[in-house]
Amino acid sequence: MENEKLVCKACGQDTFTIGQVGGTTSQGNIRPIGAIMAVGSPLQMTFCKNCGEVASFKVVKPQNFK
């Protein structure tokens, strides 16, 4: 997604940034279903700086789900 020019489908602007939910602690991390004790992975979101519309979600550490 880094190589393509994003245009917000909600407002038409083209200024995006990346934010993250979760991190070094497991709070906010996505976890495998049924694995309460798993650390999981943070989620990164690319979103429009103008209106907040989310263009993409990315699991930062997909290897934690194998």
Short mmCIF file of all heavy atoms in Angstrom, two decimals:
data_model
loop_
_atom_site.label_atom_id
_atom_site.label_comp_id
_atom_site.label_asym_id
_atom_site.label_seq_id
_atom_site.Cartn_x
_atom_site.Cartn_y
_atom_site.Cartn_z
N MET A 1 0.82 -1.19 0.00
CA MET A 1 0.00 0.00 0.00
C MET A 1 0.86 1.25 0.00
O MET A 1 0.40 2.32 -0.35
CB MET A 1 -0.93 -0.04 1.21
CG MET A 1 -1.89 1.11 1.24
SD MET A 1 -3.27 0.86 2.34
CE MET A 1 -4.37 -0.05 1.29
N GLU A 2 2.13 1.15 0.41
CA GLU A 2 3.00 2.32 0.47
C GLU A 2 3.28 2.93 -0.90
O GLU A 2 3.53 4.12 -1.01
CB GLU A 2 4.34 1.97 1.14
CG GLU A 2 4.23 1.56 2.59
CD GLU A 2 3.90 0.09 2.77
OE1 GLU A 2 4.25 -0.72 1.89
OE2 GLU A 2 3.28 -0.25 3.78
N ASN A 3 3.26 2.13 -1.96
CA ASN A 3 3.63 2.60 -3.28
C ASN A 3 2.49 3.29 -4.03
O ASN A 3 2.73 4.01 -4.98
CB ASN A 3 4.18 1.45 -4.12
CG ASN A 3 5.49 0.93 -3.58
OD1 ASN A 3 6.22 1.65 -2.90
ND2 ASN A 3 5.78 -0.32 -3.84
N GLU A 4 1.27 3.05 -3.62
CA GLU A 4 0.15 3.66 -4.32
C GLU A 4 -0.30 4.94 -3.62
O GLU A 4 -0.18 5.08 -2.41
CB GLU A 4 -1.01 2.66 -4.43
CG GLU A 4 -1.61 2.28 -3.10
CD GLU A 4 -2.67 1.21 -3.23
OE1 GLU A 4 -2.31 0.07 -3.56
OE2 GLU A 4 -3.85 1.54 -2.99
N LYS A 5 -0.79 5.88 -4.40
CA LYS A 5 -1.29 7.13 -3.85
C LYS A 5 -2.73 6.89 -3.38
O LYS A 5 -3.61 6.56 -4.17
CB LYS A 5 -1.25 8.23 -4.92
CG LYS A 5 -1.70 9.57 -4.43
CD LYS A 5 -0.71 10.14 -3.44
CE LYS A 5 -1.08 11.59 -3.13
NZ LYS A 5 -0.21 12.18 -2.16
N LEU A 6 -2.96 7.05 -2.10
CA LEU A 6 -4.28 6.83 -1.55
C LEU A 6 -5.14 8.08 -1.69
O LEU A 6 -4.65 9.19 -1.52
CB LEU A 6 -4.19 6.46 -0.07
CG LEU A 6 -3.53 5.15 0.28
CD1 LEU A 6 -3.38 5.02 1.80
CD2 LEU A 6 -4.34 3.99 -0.26
N VAL A 7 -6.40 7.87 -1.98
CA VAL A 7 -7.39 8.94 -2.00
C VAL A 7 -8.53 8.46 -1.11
O VAL A 7 -9.04 7.35 -1.28
CB VAL A 7 -7.90 9.23 -3.43
CG1 VAL A 7 -9.01 10.26 -3.40
CG2 VAL A 7 -6.76 9.69 -4.32
N CYS A 8 -8.91 9.27 -0.16
CA CYS A 8 -9.95 8.90 0.79
C CYS A 8 -11.29 8.74 0.08
O CYS A 8 -11.74 9.66 -0.62
CB CYS A 8 -10.07 9.96 1.89
SG CYS A 8 -11.32 9.56 3.12
N LYS A 9 -11.93 7.58 0.28
CA LYS A 9 -13.22 7.35 -0.36
C LYS A 9 -14.36 8.11 0.32
O LYS A 9 -15.43 8.26 -0.24
CB LYS A 9 -13.53 5.86 -0.43
CG LYS A 9 -13.62 5.17 0.89
CD LYS A 9 -13.83 3.68 0.71
CE LYS A 9 -13.73 2.97 2.04
NZ LYS A 9 -13.83 1.54 1.89
N ALA A 10 -14.10 8.63 1.53
CA ALA A 10 -15.14 9.39 2.23
C ALA A 10 -15.12 10.88 1.92
O ALA A 10 -16.16 11.48 1.75
CB ALA A 10 -15.00 9.17 3.74
N CYS A 11 -13.89 11.47 1.87
CA CYS A 11 -13.83 12.93 1.69
C CYS A 11 -13.00 13.37 0.48
O CYS A 11 -12.98 14.55 0.16
CB CYS A 11 -13.27 13.59 2.96
SG CYS A 11 -11.51 13.34 3.23
N GLY A 12 -12.30 12.45 -0.18
CA GLY A 12 -11.55 12.80 -1.38
C GLY A 12 -10.16 13.34 -1.14
O GLY A 12 -9.42 13.60 -2.09
N GLN A 13 -9.75 13.54 0.10
CA GLN A 13 -8.41 14.05 0.41
C GLN A 13 -7.36 12.95 0.19
O GLN A 13 -7.69 11.78 0.09
CB GLN A 13 -8.35 14.54 1.86
CG GLN A 13 -9.26 15.72 2.14
CD GLN A 13 -8.81 16.97 1.40
OE1 GLN A 13 -7.63 17.32 1.40
NE2 GLN A 13 -9.75 17.65 0.79
N ASP A 14 -6.10 13.35 0.14
CA ASP A 14 -5.03 12.36 -0.11
C ASP A 14 -3.92 12.42 0.94
O ASP A 14 -2.79 12.05 0.68
CB ASP A 14 -4.45 12.54 -1.51
CG ASP A 14 -3.79 13.89 -1.72
OD1 ASP A 14 -3.82 14.73 -0.79
OD2 ASP A 14 -3.23 14.10 -2.81
N THR A 15 -4.25 12.88 2.15
CA THR A 15 -3.26 12.92 3.23
C THR A 15 -3.60 11.85 4.25
O THR A 15 -4.65 11.90 4.89
CB THR A 15 -3.21 14.30 3.91
OG1 THR A 15 -4.52 14.67 4.31
CG2 THR A 15 -2.67 15.35 2.95
N PHE A 16 -2.73 10.87 4.37
CA PHE A 16 -2.94 9.73 5.26
C PHE A 16 -1.79 9.61 6.26
O PHE A 16 -0.70 10.12 6.03
CB PHE A 16 -3.03 8.43 4.44
CG PHE A 16 -4.34 8.29 3.72
CD1 PHE A 16 -4.57 8.98 2.55
CD2 PHE A 16 -5.34 7.48 4.21
CE1 PHE A 16 -5.77 8.87 1.88
CE2 PHE A 16 -6.56 7.36 3.57
CZ PHE A 16 -6.77 8.06 2.39
N THR A 17 -2.07 8.96 7.36
CA THR A 17 -1.06 8.67 8.36
C THR A 17 -1.32 7.28 8.92
O THR A 17 -2.33 6.66 8.61
CB THR A 17 -1.07 9.74 9.49
OG1 THR A 17 0.09 9.58 10.30
CG2 THR A 17 -2.32 9.67 10.33
N ILE A 18 -0.39 6.79 9.75
CA ILE A 18 -0.51 5.46 10.34
C ILE A 18 -0.60 5.59 11.85
O ILE A 18 0.14 6.36 12.47
CB ILE A 18 0.70 4.59 9.95
CG1 ILE A 18 0.74 4.39 8.45
CG2 ILE A 18 0.65 3.24 10.67
CD1 ILE A 18 1.98 3.67 7.95
N GLY A 19 -1.52 4.85 12.46
CA GLY A 19 -1.66 4.77 13.90
C GLY A 19 -1.67 3.32 14.33
O GLY A 19 -1.77 2.42 13.49
N GLN A 20 -1.59 3.08 15.63
CA GLN A 20 -1.49 1.71 16.12
C GLN A 20 -2.37 1.53 17.35
O GLN A 20 -2.45 2.41 18.20
CB GLN A 20 -0.04 1.40 16.48
CG GLN A 20 0.19 0.00 17.00
CD GLN A 20 1.66 -0.31 17.12
OE1 GLN A 20 2.38 -0.26 16.13
NE2 GLN A 20 2.11 -0.63 18.31
N VAL A 21 -3.02 0.37 17.42
CA VAL A 21 -3.77 -0.06 18.59
C VAL A 21 -2.99 -1.21 19.19
O VAL A 21 -2.63 -2.14 18.48
CB VAL A 21 -5.19 -0.53 18.23
CG1 VAL A 21 -5.91 -1.05 19.45
CG2 VAL A 21 -5.98 0.59 17.58
N GLY A 22 -2.72 -1.15 20.48
CA GLY A 22 -1.93 -2.19 21.12
C GLY A 22 -0.46 -1.83 21.08
O GLY A 22 -0.08 -0.75 20.64
N GLY A 23 0.36 -2.72 21.56
CA GLY A 23 1.79 -2.44 21.57
C GLY A 23 2.56 -3.45 22.38
O GLY A 23 2.29 -4.65 22.32
N THR A 24 3.50 -2.97 23.19
CA THR A 24 4.38 -3.87 23.93
C THR A 24 3.62 -4.62 25.03
O THR A 24 3.98 -5.75 25.35
CB THR A 24 5.56 -3.10 24.56
OG1 THR A 24 5.05 -2.03 25.34
CG2 THR A 24 6.47 -2.55 23.48
N THR A 25 2.59 -4.01 25.61
CA THR A 25 1.71 -4.77 26.50
C THR A 25 0.65 -5.40 25.62
O THR A 25 0.47 -5.00 24.47
CB THR A 25 1.04 -3.85 27.54
OG1 THR A 25 0.14 -2.98 26.88
CG2 THR A 25 2.06 -3.06 28.33
N SER A 26 -0.04 -6.36 26.13
CA SER A 26 -1.03 -7.04 25.29
C SER A 26 -2.37 -6.31 25.24
O SER A 26 -3.26 -6.71 24.51
CB SER A 26 -1.23 -8.48 25.76
OG SER A 26 -1.73 -8.49 27.07
N GLN A 27 -2.53 -5.23 26.01
CA GLN A 27 -3.80 -4.50 25.96
C GLN A 27 -4.00 -3.87 24.59
O GLN A 27 -3.14 -3.19 24.07
CB GLN A 27 -3.82 -3.41 27.02
CG GLN A 27 -4.13 -3.93 28.38
CD GLN A 27 -4.45 -2.80 29.34
OE1 GLN A 27 -3.84 -1.75 29.29
NE2 GLN A 27 -5.40 -3.03 30.21
N GLY A 28 -5.15 -4.14 24.01
CA GLY A 28 -5.46 -3.60 22.70
C GLY A 28 -4.99 -4.45 21.55
O GLY A 28 -5.32 -4.19 20.41
N ASN A 29 -4.20 -5.48 21.82
CA ASN A 29 -3.71 -6.35 20.76
C ASN A 29 -4.81 -7.29 20.28
O ASN A 29 -5.70 -7.67 21.04
CB ASN A 29 -2.53 -7.21 21.24
CG ASN A 29 -1.25 -6.44 21.34
OD1 ASN A 29 -1.20 -5.26 21.04
ND2 ASN A 29 -0.20 -7.10 21.77
N ILE A 30 -4.75 -7.67 19.02
CA ILE A 30 -5.63 -8.69 18.47
C ILE A 30 -5.02 -10.04 18.86
O ILE A 30 -3.80 -10.22 18.82
CB ILE A 30 -5.80 -8.54 16.95
CG1 ILE A 30 -6.83 -9.52 16.43
CG2 ILE A 30 -4.48 -8.65 16.21
CD1 ILE A 30 -7.24 -9.28 14.99
N ARG A 31 -5.86 -10.98 19.29
CA ARG A 31 -5.39 -12.29 19.73
C ARG A 31 -6.12 -13.39 18.98
O ARG A 31 -7.24 -13.19 18.53
CB ARG A 31 -5.65 -12.46 21.22
CG ARG A 31 -4.87 -11.54 22.11
CD ARG A 31 -5.23 -11.85 23.57
NE ARG A 31 -4.89 -10.79 24.47
CZ ARG A 31 -5.57 -9.66 24.62
NH1 ARG A 31 -6.64 -9.43 23.91
NH2 ARG A 31 -5.17 -8.74 25.48
N PRO A 32 -5.50 -14.57 18.91
CA PRO A 32 -6.20 -15.72 18.31
C PRO A 32 -7.47 -16.03 19.12
O PRO A 32 -7.48 -15.89 20.35
CB PRO A 32 -5.19 -16.87 18.44
CG PRO A 32 -3.86 -16.21 18.56
CD PRO A 32 -4.12 -14.92 19.29
N ILE A 33 -8.51 -16.44 18.44
CA ILE A 33 -9.77 -16.79 19.11
C ILE A 33 -9.52 -17.95 20.06
O ILE A 33 -8.89 -18.94 19.70
CB ILE A 33 -10.86 -17.16 18.08
CG1 ILE A 33 -11.21 -15.92 17.26
CG2 ILE A 33 -12.11 -17.73 18.76
CD1 ILE A 33 -12.17 -16.16 16.12
N GLY A 34 -10.01 -17.81 21.27
CA GLY A 34 -9.89 -18.86 22.27
C GLY A 34 -8.56 -18.88 23.01
O GLY A 34 -8.35 -19.70 23.88
N ALA A 35 -7.63 -18.01 22.67
CA ALA A 35 -6.32 -17.97 23.31
C ALA A 35 -6.23 -16.74 24.20
O ALA A 35 -5.62 -15.74 23.84
CB ALA A 35 -5.22 -17.97 22.26
N ILE A 36 -6.82 -16.82 25.38
CA ILE A 36 -6.91 -15.68 26.28
C ILE A 36 -5.53 -15.21 26.74
O ILE A 36 -5.28 -14.03 26.90
CB ILE A 36 -7.79 -16.01 27.49
CG1 ILE A 36 -9.21 -16.30 27.02
CG2 ILE A 36 -7.79 -14.90 28.52
CD1 ILE A 36 -10.12 -16.88 28.08
N MET A 37 -4.60 -16.12 26.94
CA MET A 37 -3.28 -15.78 27.45
C MET A 37 -2.27 -15.39 26.36
O MET A 37 -1.16 -15.01 26.64
CB MET A 37 -2.72 -16.94 28.28
CG MET A 37 -3.56 -17.28 29.50
SD MET A 37 -3.74 -15.90 30.65
CE MET A 37 -2.08 -15.76 31.26
N ALA A 38 -2.65 -15.50 25.11
CA ALA A 38 -1.74 -15.17 24.01
C ALA A 38 -1.46 -13.67 23.97
O ALA A 38 -2.33 -12.85 24.26
CB ALA A 38 -2.31 -15.62 22.67
N VAL A 39 -0.24 -13.30 23.61
CA VAL A 39 0.14 -11.89 23.49
C VAL A 39 -0.52 -11.27 22.27
O VAL A 39 -0.94 -10.13 22.28
CB VAL A 39 1.69 -11.75 23.40
CG1 VAL A 39 2.08 -10.31 23.13
CG2 VAL A 39 2.33 -12.27 24.67
N GLY A 40 -0.63 -12.02 21.18
CA GLY A 40 -1.25 -11.51 19.96
C GLY A 40 -0.36 -10.52 19.24
O GLY A 40 0.86 -10.65 19.24
N SER A 41 -0.97 -9.50 18.65
CA SER A 41 -0.23 -8.53 17.85
C SER A 41 -0.95 -7.19 17.84
O SER A 41 -2.18 -7.14 17.83
CB SER A 41 -0.11 -9.03 16.41
OG SER A 41 0.48 -8.04 15.60
N PRO A 42 -0.18 -6.09 17.81
CA PRO A 42 -0.81 -4.79 17.61
C PRO A 42 -1.44 -4.71 16.21
O PRO A 42 -1.08 -5.48 15.32
CB PRO A 42 0.36 -3.80 17.70
CG PRO A 42 1.47 -4.53 18.35
CD PRO A 42 1.27 -5.97 18.02
N LEU A 43 -2.36 -3.80 16.04
CA LEU A 43 -2.96 -3.51 14.74
C LEU A 43 -2.49 -2.13 14.30
O LEU A 43 -2.53 -1.18 15.06
CB LEU A 43 -4.49 -3.46 14.84
CG LEU A 43 -5.24 -4.76 14.91
CD1 LEU A 43 -6.72 -4.47 15.14
CD2 LEU A 43 -5.05 -5.56 13.64
N GLN A 44 -2.03 -2.03 13.06
CA GLN A 44 -1.70 -0.74 12.47
C GLN A 44 -2.82 -0.35 11.52
O GLN A 44 -3.34 -1.18 10.78
CB GLN A 44 -0.41 -0.82 11.65
CG GLN A 44 0.82 -0.61 12.45
CD GLN A 44 2.05 -0.54 11.56
OE1 GLN A 44 1.99 -0.75 10.36
NE2 GLN A 44 3.17 -0.25 12.16
N MET A 45 -3.19 0.91 11.57
CA MET A 45 -4.23 1.43 10.69
C MET A 45 -3.69 2.60 9.88
O MET A 45 -3.03 3.47 10.44
CB MET A 45 -5.44 1.89 11.49
CG MET A 45 -6.23 0.77 12.05
SD MET A 45 -7.49 1.38 13.16
CE MET A 45 -6.68 1.03 14.70
N THR A 46 -3.97 2.59 8.59
CA THR A 46 -3.69 3.74 7.74
C THR A 46 -5.01 4.48 7.60
O THR A 46 -6.02 3.89 7.21
CB THR A 46 -3.17 3.29 6.36
OG1 THR A 46 -2.00 2.50 6.54
CG2 THR A 46 -2.86 4.48 5.47
N PHE A 47 -5.01 5.77 7.98
CA PHE A 47 -6.27 6.50 7.95
C PHE A 47 -6.08 7.92 7.44
O PHE A 47 -4.98 8.48 7.50
CB PHE A 47 -6.94 6.51 9.33
CG PHE A 47 -6.13 7.15 10.41
CD1 PHE A 47 -6.32 8.49 10.73
CD2 PHE A 47 -5.19 6.43 11.13
CE1 PHE A 47 -5.58 9.09 11.73
CE2 PHE A 47 -4.46 7.01 12.14
CZ PHE A 47 -4.65 8.35 12.44
N CYS A 48 -7.17 8.50 6.95
CA CYS A 48 -7.19 9.86 6.42
C CYS A 48 -7.00 10.86 7.54
O CYS A 48 -7.69 10.81 8.56
CB CYS A 48 -8.53 10.09 5.72
SG CYS A 48 -8.74 11.78 5.09
N LYS A 49 -6.04 11.77 7.36
CA LYS A 49 -5.78 12.80 8.36
C LYS A 49 -6.89 13.85 8.40
O LYS A 49 -7.04 14.56 9.38
CB LYS A 49 -4.45 13.48 8.09
CG LYS A 49 -3.26 12.58 8.39
CD LYS A 49 -1.96 13.21 8.00
CE LYS A 49 -1.51 14.23 9.01
NZ LYS A 49 -0.15 14.75 8.72
N ASN A 50 -7.67 13.94 7.35
CA ASN A 50 -8.74 14.94 7.29
C ASN A 50 -10.00 14.48 8.01
O ASN A 50 -10.52 15.20 8.86
CB ASN A 50 -9.06 15.27 5.83
CG ASN A 50 -10.10 16.35 5.70
OD1 ASN A 50 -9.93 17.45 6.20
ND2 ASN A 50 -11.21 16.03 5.04
N CYS A 51 -10.48 13.27 7.71
CA CYS A 51 -11.77 12.84 8.27
C CYS A 51 -11.68 11.58 9.13
O CYS A 51 -12.65 11.23 9.79
CB CYS A 51 -12.78 12.63 7.16
SG CYS A 51 -12.50 11.15 6.16
N GLY A 52 -10.54 10.88 9.13
CA GLY A 52 -10.38 9.69 9.97
C GLY A 52 -10.81 8.38 9.34
O GLY A 52 -10.72 7.34 9.97
N GLU A 53 -11.28 8.41 8.10
CA GLU A 53 -11.68 7.18 7.41
C GLU A 53 -10.48 6.23 7.33
O GLU A 53 -9.39 6.61 6.93
CB GLU A 53 -12.17 7.50 5.99
CG GLU A 53 -12.57 6.30 5.17
CD GLU A 53 -13.91 5.71 5.55
OE1 GLU A 53 -14.69 6.37 6.27
OE2 GLU A 53 -14.19 4.58 5.13
N VAL A 54 -10.69 4.97 7.74
CA VAL A 54 -9.61 3.98 7.75
C VAL A 54 -9.50 3.35 6.36
O VAL A 54 -10.47 2.82 5.82
CB VAL A 54 -9.85 2.90 8.82
CG1 VAL A 54 -8.78 1.83 8.75
CG2 VAL A 54 -9.88 3.53 10.20
N ALA A 55 -8.28 3.41 5.79
CA ALA A 55 -8.03 2.83 4.47
C ALA A 55 -7.57 1.39 4.57
O ALA A 55 -7.85 0.58 3.70
CB ALA A 55 -6.98 3.66 3.71
N SER A 56 -6.83 1.04 5.66
CA SER A 56 -6.38 -0.35 5.81
C SER A 56 -6.06 -0.67 7.26
O SER A 56 -5.73 0.21 8.06
CB SER A 56 -5.15 -0.60 4.95
OG SER A 56 -4.01 0.02 5.50
N PHE A 57 -6.18 -1.95 7.58
CA PHE A 57 -5.75 -2.53 8.85
C PHE A 57 -4.63 -3.50 8.53
O PHE A 57 -4.69 -4.20 7.52
CB PHE A 57 -6.87 -3.36 9.50
CG PHE A 57 -7.94 -2.55 10.16
CD1 PHE A 57 -9.14 -2.32 9.51
CD2 PHE A 57 -7.78 -2.07 11.44
CE1 PHE A 57 -10.15 -1.61 10.11
CE2 PHE A 57 -8.78 -1.35 12.06
CZ PHE A 57 -9.96 -1.12 11.40
N LYS A 58 -3.63 -3.58 9.41
CA LYS A 58 -2.55 -4.54 9.22
C LYS A 58 -2.20 -5.13 10.58
O LYS A 58 -1.99 -4.39 11.55
CB LYS A 58 -1.32 -3.86 8.62
CG LYS A 58 -0.16 -4.81 8.42
CD LYS A 58 1.02 -4.12 7.80
CE LYS A 58 2.16 -5.12 7.63
NZ LYS A 58 3.33 -4.50 7.02
N VAL A 59 -2.11 -6.47 10.65
CA VAL A 59 -1.63 -7.16 11.84
C VAL A 59 -0.12 -7.06 11.79
O VAL A 59 0.51 -7.52 10.85
CB VAL A 59 -2.11 -8.62 11.87
CG1 VAL A 59 -1.49 -9.37 13.04
CG2 VAL A 59 -3.63 -8.68 11.92
N VAL A 60 0.49 -6.42 12.81
CA VAL A 60 1.93 -6.15 12.80
C VAL A 60 2.75 -7.43 12.89
O VAL A 60 3.77 -7.57 12.21
CB VAL A 60 2.30 -5.18 13.95
CG1 VAL A 60 3.79 -4.97 14.02
CG2 VAL A 60 1.58 -3.85 13.77
N LYS A 61 2.31 -8.38 13.71
CA LYS A 61 3.07 -9.62 13.92
C LYS A 61 2.21 -10.85 13.57
O LYS A 61 1.78 -11.60 14.45
CB LYS A 61 3.55 -9.71 15.37
CG LYS A 61 4.50 -8.60 15.76
CD LYS A 61 4.92 -8.73 17.20
CE LYS A 61 5.86 -7.60 17.57
NZ LYS A 61 6.27 -7.68 18.97
N PRO A 62 1.98 -11.09 12.28
CA PRO A 62 1.14 -12.23 11.90
C PRO A 62 1.74 -13.57 12.31
O PRO A 62 1.01 -14.55 12.47
CB PRO A 62 1.01 -12.11 10.38
CG PRO A 62 2.17 -11.28 9.96
CD PRO A 62 2.48 -10.37 11.11
N GLN A 63 3.06 -13.62 12.53
CA GLN A 63 3.69 -14.86 12.94
C GLN A 63 3.20 -15.32 14.31
O GLN A 63 3.31 -16.51 14.64
CB GLN A 63 5.23 -14.73 12.93
CG GLN A 63 5.80 -13.76 13.95
CD GLN A 63 5.88 -12.32 13.47
OE1 GLN A 63 5.25 -11.93 12.48
NE2 GLN A 63 6.65 -11.50 14.18
N ASN A 64 2.61 -14.45 15.11
CA ASN A 64 2.07 -14.84 16.42
C ASN A 64 0.79 -15.66 16.30
O ASN A 64 0.27 -16.13 17.30
CB ASN A 64 1.79 -13.60 17.27
CG ASN A 64 3.07 -12.91 17.72
OD1 ASN A 64 4.17 -13.40 17.51
ND2 ASN A 64 2.92 -11.77 18.35
N PHE A 65 0.28 -15.86 15.09
CA PHE A 65 -0.96 -16.60 14.88
C PHE A 65 -0.72 -17.97 14.24
O PHE A 65 -1.65 -18.63 13.83
CB PHE A 65 -1.92 -15.77 14.01
CG PHE A 65 -2.43 -14.57 14.75
CD1 PHE A 65 -1.67 -13.41 14.81
CD2 PHE A 65 -3.65 -14.60 15.39
CE1 PHE A 65 -2.14 -12.30 15.50
CE2 PHE A 65 -4.11 -13.49 16.08
CZ PHE A 65 -3.35 -12.34 16.14
N LYS A 66 0.51 -18.39 14.12
CA LYS A 66 0.81 -19.68 13.47
C LYS A 66 0.94 -20.78 14.46
O LYS A 66 1.13 -20.64 15.59
CB LYS A 66 2.09 -19.55 12.63
CG LYS A 66 1.87 -18.55 11.51
CD LYS A 66 3.10 -18.39 10.69
CE LYS A 66 2.80 -17.36 9.59
NZ LYS A 66 3.89 -16.96 8.85
#
